[in-house]
């Protein structure tokens, strides 16, 4: 495949969406073809599944159902959006991806990691990001930012989790970065937006310039 898959990870309010959109703008202004997408969601069907996962409802969602819905959305997103964009040679910038499953369903919900990894492989057909930016913030900072941003509908189903849940998610994310230091770059999410954007942009340029000319300008 000719394109490049870049993912952004981190707890709620860490700044993923902000950085994903700044990176999209930067690449666009250099006329590098880019596809900005997100999980859960990123295709019409996957966005419907996103709504099932995130909208709080009277009936609680079992952790098993939650996991399988995330994976169903991911399989659809990869098949319909991510792979086609990579085949067109685009840089795909994805707001959350496979690491989120390991961090949230593994760290947060304590589902065994080997099982999650095998589901991820199955749902994505083995597709892995070339680079992942883990935007790390203390839980208090992330939750305060997310609260400031959530609309009149209040927190979504995941945002309504207890603080300990997010501590476990953050810890698992950092563990993943220690396991895969080549792929996962940890960024200090309390730095100013522009400084973070700069680091990400520089790193993406390094990747693009080190490659055979897959991504055509
Ligand atoms: N580096 C930063 N410093 C200060 N505030 C920031 C920074 N990055 C983002 N913010 C602010 O924090 C809030 C959350 O940012 P953003 O929506 O990008 O986070 P997110 O990781 O996408 O959150 P979620 O997981 O809930 O979607 C926004 O109001 C944004 O303007
Ligand atoms: Mg976001």
């Amino acid at each position: 495949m000719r394109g490049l898959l870049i993912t952004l990870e981190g707890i709620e309010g860490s700044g993923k969406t902000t950085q994903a959109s700044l990176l999209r703008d930067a690449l666009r202004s250099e006329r590098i073809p880019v596809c900005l997408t997100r999980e859960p969601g990123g295709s019409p069907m996957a966005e419907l599944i996103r709504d099932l996962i995130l909208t709080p409802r009277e009936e609680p969602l079992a952790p098993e159902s939650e996991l399988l819905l995330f994976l169903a959305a991911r399989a659809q997103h990869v098949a319909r959006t991510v792979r086609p964009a990579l085949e067109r040679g685009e840089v795909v910038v994805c707001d959350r991806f496979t690491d989120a499953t390991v961090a949230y369903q593994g760290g947060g919900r304590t589902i065994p990691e080997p099982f999650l990894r095998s589901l991820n492989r199955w749902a994505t057909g083995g597709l892995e990001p070339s680079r992942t930016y883990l935007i790390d913030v203390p839980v208090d900072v992330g939750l305060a930012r997310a609260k400031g941003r959530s609309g009149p509908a209040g927190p979504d189903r995941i945002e309504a989790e207890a603080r300990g849940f997010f501590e476990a998610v953050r810890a698992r994310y950092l563990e993943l970065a220690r396991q895969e230091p080549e792929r996962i770059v940890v960024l200090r999410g309390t730095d100013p937006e522009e400084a973070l954007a700069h680091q990400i942009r520089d790193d993406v340029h390094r990747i693009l310039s080190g490659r055979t000319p897959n991504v055509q300008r």
Side-chain angles (χ1 to χ4, degrees):
M1 249 176 307
R2 303 184 304 133
L4 180 72
L5 176 59
I6 291 172
T7 63
L8 289 128
E9 298 282 0
I11 61 167
E12 349 295 295
S14 55
K16 300 174 296 297
T17 304
T18 304
Q19 293 304 325
S21 116
L22 289 172
L23 178 59
R24 188 258 326 261
D25 295 347
L27 293 172
R28 252 195 201 160
S29 74
E30 299 167 58
R31 298 213 230 122
I32 296 171
V34 54
C35 166
L36 174 63
T37 186
R38 69 167 180 186
E39 287 207 351
S43 89
M45 188 76 79
E47 289 288 331
L48 292 174
I49 302 172
R50 177 191 179 92
D51 182 59
L52 287 178
I53 297 172
L54 293 181
T55 306
R57 290 184 172 80
E58 213 174 309
E59 180 184 356
L61 192 57
E64 293 80 2
S65 322
E66 180 189 68
L67 170 63
L68 294 172
L69 285 172
F70 272 117
L71 269 295
R74 177 161 305 136
Q76 192 66 18
H77 177 226
V78 168
R80 301 290 306 170
T81 304
V82 178
R83 277 190 192 276
L86 292 173
E87 274 154 17
R88 292 192 300 269
E90 296 176 8
V91 176
V92 176
V93 177
C94 188
D95 188 341
R96 291 189 185 286
F97 196 57
T98 42
D99 296 309
T101 301
V102 179
Y104 283 76
Q105 276 65 51
R109 307 240 187 268
T110 68
I111 297 172
E113 186 164 325
F115 178 61
L116 297 174
R117 287 187 180 278
S118 117
L119 284 177
N120 268 338
R121 261 196 309 276
W122 185 68
T124 60
L127 179 68
E128 286 172 11
S130 293
R131 181 70 94 231
T132 297
Y133 301 103
L134 170 55
I135 310 179
D136 182 56
V137 290
V139 170
D140 287 338
V141 172
L143 292 185
R145 284 187 194 166
K147 205 181 227 164
R149 191 217 39 203
S150 63
D156 71 32
R157 218 180 39 80
I158 307 284
E159 283 168 358
E161 285 290 337
R163 190 209 148 91
F165 176 87
F166 295 105
E167 292 289 359
V169 173
R170 182 190 184 201
R172 184 65 67 95
Y173 265 135
L174 290 170
E175 213 173 294
L176 291 180
R178 278 192 294 273
Q179 287 167 15
E180 283 187 79
E182 305 269 284
R183 172 173 68 89
I184 305 179
V185 176
V186 184
L187 300 171
R188 195 171 44 230
T190 47
D191 283 356
E193 279 173 25
E194 208 21 73
L196 290 165
H198 198 89
Q199 291 178 57
I200 293 174
R201 217 150 51 219
D202 279 358
D203 187 63
V204 171
H205 282 140
R206 259 197 305 279
I207 299 171
L208 290 176
S209 65
R211 283 154 39 105
T212 42
N214 285 351
V215 177
Q216 274 128 21
R217 305 187 60 158

